[in-house]
Amino acid sequence: MATMHLRNHIDGRWVEGSSGEAFEDTDPANGEVIATVTRSTTADVDRAVDAARRACEAWRLTPAPKRGEILYRAGEILLRRKDDLAREMTREMGKVLAEARGDVQEGIDMTYYMAGEGRRQFGDVVPAELPNKWAMSMRHPHGVVAAITPWNFPLAIPTWKIMPALVLGNTVVFKPASYTPLLAVRLVEVLEEAGLPKGVLNLVLGPGGEIGDHLVTHPGVDLVSFTGSSDAGAHISEIAGRLLKRVSCELGGKNAIVVMDDAEVDLSIEGIVWSAFGTSGQRCTAASRVIAHRGVANDVIDKLVGRAKKMRMGHGLEPTTDLGPVVSKQAQEKVASYMPVAEKEGATIAAGGRIPTEGALAKGFFHEPTVLVDVKPNMRVAQEEIFGPVVAVLEVGSLEEAVKVLNSTKYGLSCSIYTRNVNNAFRFMRDAETGLVYVNAGTIGAEIQLPFGGMKTTGNGHREAGRAALDVYADWKSIYVDFSGRLQKAQMDGGGTTSS
Ligand code: UN1
């Protein structure tokens, strides 16, 4: 297969970055080169932001239902290309094909949902306290949005940011992770084909660092929407916060599945295996802790260890593969580095724990699916996000203790409980300090029509997806129209009660 070359998209044209240099986009399962990619500089960021700014006014004044129609057409094209996009995604970042299809589907779902917002974007019309006066609220776009996206959901997460931004009348500069430029190019191609005017969506390719900081602090950027590591999120919040820019961050997680002594254990094992090892554990919603009640802990561990040992690693395009590689050598080394950390702190590796060194697997960035037992809540493997196929099992004696352990990390994205006791379920739903809670299901697989995001250091108070996303990508404007023909003073004329 001939190697592709991927370029930036600025002001409606595909253009080379100004460094004149390129980097390689490779398949993490075998090291094959998929594409060469232009490396952008700060000058390219300037061009992209300028183009987005110039496109702002006309796009803002395009009727929202028309903006929605373009999104609807983009959804249709994504649907037609779903399988090709999924195959390219598996090659580019490693997740197994069925999951890559799910990622594209999540992008399609979000695109259709936001297309519908073209005819909604509801505001309030409320009674005014004064006669002959009208009071209402409407959404107003911010202007230029910087969408900085991760590699683990290379299609879905960009749509979470780009689609609400566009339908609300913002223009966008899109800076995808450097591990997944191909899917980013594909998404831009789809929106271009759907009829998006030039300059409304601009793409800048290359590693973060200097160009990322330049984009975040650029005076022409009004809102930064970022999904990625907590360290990068803190840095972005700091440099953008000084400029009082709007920032929406979706960061790390240390999600847990609680298995109570009244749970259906076999069902919980299905949820744990899926949530801990799906996408090779590289979801921010992945279950990296199991909090098992002592009454079932041994059963849970035996069954989980049995399942982990049977999982087949391989290329995500092979139908026999259960677990693909992690995204990079650096990610593989990070996962592996936690094994001595776990053992030193007194945990035991009950399954996995190694990097395969033989045969075809040695060519990719694989890590065995790993189960850690004898884990205590304060150990690093119970506190830190590993972002790989590693799950730590902790044991507790009651629901109260389970909730305490659940809430004992700095993160707060997702959690779940397996129980057949309705009282346990409702207490858990009430007390979990996470933005997503599941009952008798794993921690992954959020649907796009509800808010997505986390409490505590998982985020900064914003939510993606669903109606909540509209609050990120637009400001509220409250409007009062006085048609009385005279000066009326709110809180003073006519209204209010007087005490006697
Ligand atoms: C992520 O890992 O950043 O709930 C997003 C889920 C997916 C989205 C995950 N729908 O697992």
Side-chain angles (χ1 to χ4, degrees), residues 29-43:
N30 55 25
E32 278 173 23
V33 177
I34 299 168
T36 54
V37 188
T38 197
R39 187 189 290 272
S40 304
T41 65
T42 56

Side-chain angles (χ1 to χ4, degrees), residues 5-6 16 19-24 36-39:
H5 181 63
L6 306 176
E16 226 28 81
S19 73
E21 291 167 19
F23 61 99
E24 286 178 344
T36 54
V37 188
T38 197
R39 187 189 290 272

Side-chain angles (χ1 to χ4, degrees), residues 364-386:
F365 307 125
F366 290 90
H367 192 281
E368 289 176 346
T370 299
V371 180
L372 303 175
V373 298
D374 303 323
V375 177
K376 300 284 172 281
N378 57 352
M379 290 181 183
R380 284 183 58 195
V381 289
Q383 291 290 333
E384 297 175 18
E385 185 176 50
I386 299 173

Side-chain angles (χ1 to χ4, degrees), residues 106 150 152-153 156-157 160 227 250-251 282-286 387 413 436 438 443-448 452:
E106 191 161 352
N152 68 334
F153 276 79
I157 293 181
W160 293 7
T227 298
E250 197 47 60
L251 310 171
Q282 302 168 109
R283 294 195 189 210
C284 45
T285 50
F387 225 62
L413 183 54
L436 306 165
Y438 292 87
T443 54
I444 66 175
E447 302 179 24
I448 60 89
F452 181 96

